[in-house]
Amino acid sequence: MILELAGRQLRITDLRGRLGARLDAMPVIHRLVAENLLRAGGSDGAAAFDAWIGEGRRDVELPFFSGRIMMHDTTCVPALVDLAAARDVLAAAGGDPGRIDPVVPVDVSTDHSLAVDFYARADAAALNMQRERERNAERLRLMKWASGAFEKLTVHPPGTGIMHTLNLERLARVVRVEHRDGVDWAVPDTLIGTDSHTPMVNGIGVLGWGVGGLEAEAAMLGLPVILRIPEVVGVRLIGELPRDVFAADLALLVTQRLRAHGVAGRFVEFFGPGVATLSADTRAAVANMAPEYGATTGFFPVDARTIAYLLETGRPPKAAALVEQYCRAQGLWFDPAAEPDYAGVLTIDLATVARGAAGPTRPQDLRGAGETAAFITAGVAAGDVPAGAIAIAAITSCTNTSDPRMLVGAGLLARNAVAAGLAVPDWVKTSLAPGSPAAGALLQRAGLMGPLEALGFAIVGVGCTTCIGNSGPLAPRMLEAIAGGVAPVAVLSGNRNFPGRVHPEVRESFLLSPPMAIAFALAGDAARDIERDPIGHRADGTPVMLGHIWPDAAEVDALLASARAPDDVQRRYDAAEANAEWAALDAPETMLFPWDPASTYVRPPPFVRAEARAPLDGATARPILVLGDDVTTDHISPAGAIPAGTPAARYLIERGETPGDLNVFAARRGNWEAMVRGLYANPSVDNLLRPGIAPGRTVHAPSGEEMTLWDAAERYAADATPLVIVAGERYGTGSSRDWAAKGPALLGVRAVIASSFERIHRSNLVNMAILPFTVAVDEAVALRTLSSDALIRFPAAMPLMPGAAVGLTIEDRGTTREVTAILAADTAVECEIIARGGMLPALLQRLGADMQGVAG
């Protein structure tokens, strides 16, 4: 089928012809998956399409080929280390290491390791960037090596934006032109990303979702992502947003409602008349939080708002015209009156959205903005630092800084506060870290950068910063107050607030809109009703209320319209890409990466091998960790600062690192020896094997000694004893980080038994050949009583089939019980990966099948 645009002929898949009358009844996500099968899936895709569409089968495994892949600096480094080590394995066996090379475009952002060392000063961004280069030069060299060693891999240097903002404003095409076999095709833009917030681009109609690093590595090398037929939940939006709320408030309400509804592992698609009232920026904020509400996607189909966004961000008019023409021709254009056939439907009235604050420990726990006092630890005051004092107030993360309307709203609140004579107390650490290099210029044109800087919200850099835990040291006054008994609170415009995530000393955090973050910073504490109590006082003692400084919606919209400069968006990205320091950075230009044996950042990991792990048939395992509900990937493998006195800190200091500047765990993900020493060390982790076990420690059963997880793992490995982790509900929620699976695998963990898993982490476990087992909730609760002496016996013949029921025999303290566990492997391909010892061994076995010695 041919699509003609401005005299150009482009071939397209005849989607309506193949789907017929049923197309209009299908979720748009299903239409896009069907197109991918027909165009990119080859014979396997055609067969899957026929079985799904022609025969109506629901048990079909769909080979999905992503058009591109995105990574960021802290997920790409472990992936690049894996690929570099895999090249070594192939070369050592006499093979061609060049066979390890991405076959699809891979874009890497450099955003996740930037820390807020300097703040509340106009030169903070430059100083923080300098510290970034000093701390992470070795990792940056690896990334630059990769950009030369791998043909289709592009690294976007520091300062070019947060991964998802970069994708949204610059990389995403919505519809792209692909040259294949001498023919130009128009195809939907699709991607997978090694970050759970990849669905942000769903806000402009691009189908994409987060995957683990190992799954992305396989996709880089040409393997499809294997899907079950997506179960799509429709969220019907009706009404219009109130004028005094922002996109963040809607995103938090959606998170609360969908978590309660239950969409874990499902795809979510928004429909209904309310969708048409939302800007693409607002949709992207809602889509960004798909992992927080548990879904694979938060998809908004393409419509006029999408086209407007492409033009507002400087995309060429011809490219925007192609998007509209293609989507209309293919039945992908949004119809607000359509009622597709969804697996389930939830209705949200936009008119019910109110100013909110989610927390203090989970994103789905939405409160009214004035209700924070009832949910924080009371604590005490320390001098003039009040109980519930705000330690960190951060306008941070792609979630909300990618929406210029929220930035303008924050700037107007700052302007109004300055005019009222208000100031932020000196115990509050303030920061503004936008996702886009164009954000600062927009705020300057709007005349709002000055008021923001006056309140301490100077731009500290373009990167994730506080949202990912790189908040830097607290203000000295706050450290003194904490020592005096103050229980600190953080407020941020981010997407996650698990205890200790934004800073090790901060256990409670609230997620809220950028203007509300500034309001709390001005108040100085969360122990008040921000909606009704004074935020501060004028010089004459007159109280200043939130309503006095809250930005007027009409003024926000008018100022944003006047400050927009579509041509400037891409110019700012071009300038950021032309990074002189990056261009000058020296990096190897070899096919094989030259490892430095003394490096504390980059080391070849032992799990990159061709050999499979020993089967568990008839094996007897011991529990190394027994955990409760809601154990997140932050709990398993932290991203933030490496605390002094910990096993990871001791390891690094013994190798010459400076005790006061050990960097963050996220920056050490290329060094497996540092990472395994930080596992489960989050202060919230409670190992129930024995009362009072400190985080990061366990009991070695044969000796009865308490020791670090790594020390115990080495002893168990010497005895060839496999290990098991027992957990509760939602195990592995949070970030996509593959180290939350790689780390346990290096400890010798062979299975995790839980009542439920989050999607990406379950996939990561499979790709490390760790068996994910689910048991009933009451059974999981009963297993929390296991002692360190427990033995878990596997059957003599382990059934490796999707959903297989496996009978486990558990012996503990003189009792024996039988437990039926379900293997949470979704596809036959996943079972094969487990059998082969993980994704990397499977890949190396496949590549080396014709080379003697690689598989043995």
Side-chain angles (χ1 to χ4, degrees), residues 410-424 451-452 454-455 515 518-519 522 535 537-538 544-546 548-551:
L412 282 173
L413 186 140
R415 184 202 66 185
N416 298 340
V418 170
L422 301 184
V424 174
L452 285 164
L455 295 183
I518 297 179
L522 292 163
I535 286 178
H537 295 81
R538 297 178 185 270
V544 178
M545 313 299 288
L546 181 65
H548 296 152
I549 61 173
W550 193 255

Side-chain angles (χ1 to χ4, degrees), residues 68 164 167-168 172 191 197-208 287:
R68 56 193 178 93
H164 311 299
N167 192 19
L168 199 68
L191 82 151
H197 294 104
T198 298
M200 186 170 196
V201 79
N202 294 173
I204 59 170
V206 175
L207 182 59

Side-chain angles (χ1 to χ4, degrees), residues 368-392:
E371 298 175 346
T372 57
F375 297 96
I376 61 173
T377 301
V380 297
D384 62 347
V385 180
I390 303 295
I392 294 171

Side-chain angles (χ1 to χ4, degrees), residues 30-316:
H30 278 178
R31 303 175 206 181
L32 289 167
V33 171
E35 190 279 340
N36 190 277
L37 292 174
L38 292 169
R39 173 181 49 81
S43 58
D44 290 344
F49 179 90
D50 290 340
W52 172 29
I53 302 300
E55 302 172 26
R57 287 170 48 193
R58 305 295 301 174
D59 61 343
V60 187
E61 296 183 2
L62 310 178
F64 184 88
F65 285 87
S66 175
R68 56 193 178 93
I69 296 169
M70 284 205 72
M71 314 182 88
H72 55 69
D73 49 326
T74 60
T75 55
C76 89
V77 166
L80 296 178
V81 165
D82 291 350
L83 295 180
R87 279 189 168 185
D88 290 346
V89 172
L90 277 184
D96 176 12
R99 295 177 69 186
I100 303 289
D101 204 349
V103 299
V104 295
V106 180
D107 285 282
V108 177
S109 63
T110 311
D111 56 4
H112 268 58
S113 57
L114 182 69
V116 186
D117 293 301
F118 300 91
Y119 69 100
R121 48 191 292 178
D123 60 353
L127 293 171
N128 288 327
M129 186 62 73
Q130 181 180 337
R131 293 293 289 122
E132 161 87 337
R133 291 191 296 269
E134 292 168 354
R135 282 191 182 119
N136 297 300
E138 192 172 346
R139 296 168 54 249
L140 294 174
R141 287 191 192 97
L142 170 71
M143 292 164 62
K144 192 168 184 181
W145 166 81
S147 68
F150 300 119
E151 183 179 353
K152 293 190 175 183
L153 188 143
T154 301
V155 175
H156 302 274
T160 49
I162 297 178
M163 171 182 179
H164 311 299
T165 311
L166 170 68
N167 192 19
L168 199 68
E169 292 187 344
R170 186 165 173 88
L171 301 180
R173 297 288 182 266
V174 187
V175 174
R176 58 189 177 87
V177 176
E178 179 181 280
H179 190 76
R180 191 170 73 244
D181 299 328
V183 177
D184 287 336
W185 286 73
V187 304
D189 189 6
T190 59
L191 82 151
I192 55 173
T194 57
D195 186 275
S196 57
H197 294 104
T198 298
M200 186 170 196
V201 79
N202 294 173
I204 59 170
V206 175
L207 182 59
W209 60 87
V211 299
L214 292 161
E215 195 170 359
E217 289 171 37
M220 281 187 209
L221 300 176
L223 299 180
V225 176
I226 302 299
L227 304 174
R228 302 302 295 267
I229 296 172
E231 187 176 356
V232 184
V233 174
V235 178
R236 179 192 290 108
L237 300 181
I238 62 174
E240 294 189 33
L241 288 174
R243 296 288 285 163
D244 65 341
V245 304
F246 288 90
D249 300 302
L250 172 60
L252 294 173
L253 177 66
V254 169
T255 299
Q256 179 198 48
R257 293 288 304 279
L258 288 182
R259 266 294 175 186
H261 184 78
V263 293
R266 295 167 157 184
F267 288 60
V268 164
E269 180 173 307
F270 294 88
F271 73 110
V275 170
T277 70
L278 302 177
S279 69
D281 299 300
T282 297
R283 298 174 188 180
V286 173
N288 177 283
M289 292 195 71
E292 278 66 55
Y293 43 83
T296 304
T297 64
F299 186 79
F300 289 84
V302 174
D303 67 356
R305 297 270 191 165
T306 313
I307 305 304
Y309 177 82
L310 294 175
L311 297 173
E312 287 167 354
T313 50
R315 268 56 169 245

Side-chain angles (χ1 to χ4, degrees), residues 297-382:
T297 64
F299 186 79
F300 289 84
V302 174
D303 67 356
R305 297 270 191 165
T306 313
I307 305 304
Y309 177 82
L310 294 175
L311 297 173
E312 287 167 354
T313 50
R315 268 56 169 245
K318 284 186 178 180
L322 172 61
V323 171
E324 180 167 354
Q325 188 171 345
Y326 178 88
C327 290
R328 288 187 183 278
Q330 291 286 64
L332 301 174
W333 190 260
F334 176 65
D335 176 3
E339 294 276 343
D341 183 14
Y342 294 112
V345 171
L346 175 70
T347 298
I348 294 178
D349 185 351
L350 298 177
T352 64
V353 177
R355 296 189 295 219
T361 59
R362 300 192 308 175
Q364 62 264 43
D365 296 332
L366 179 62
R367 332 283 184 190
E371 298 175 346
T372 57
F375 297 96
I376 61 173
T377 301
V380 297

Side-chain angles (χ1 to χ4, degrees), residues 775-856:
V775 294
V777 173
D778 57 348
E779 190 69 71
V781 172
L783 290 175
R784 293 179 192 177
T785 63
L786 289 181
S787 74
S788 59
D789 294 322
L791 299 174
I792 302 171
R793 302 189 188 278
F794 291 86
M798 278 282 296
L800 275 182
M801 298 176 294
V806 178
L808 305 176
T809 301
I810 299 178
E811 302 173 9
D812 189 24
R813 291 172 290 201
T815 65
T816 301
R817 59 189 302 184
E818 302 295 326
V819 174
T820 299
I822 305 301
L823 178 61
D826 288 348
T827 67
V829 171
E830 289 191 340
C831 292
E832 180 185 1
I833 287 172
I834 292 171
R836 288 179 175 268
M839 190 283 294
L840 287 168
L843 177 65
L844 288 168
Q845 290 163 28
R846 188 175 293 111
L847 289 175
D850 58 344
M851 293 184 299
Q852 183 178 1
V854 173

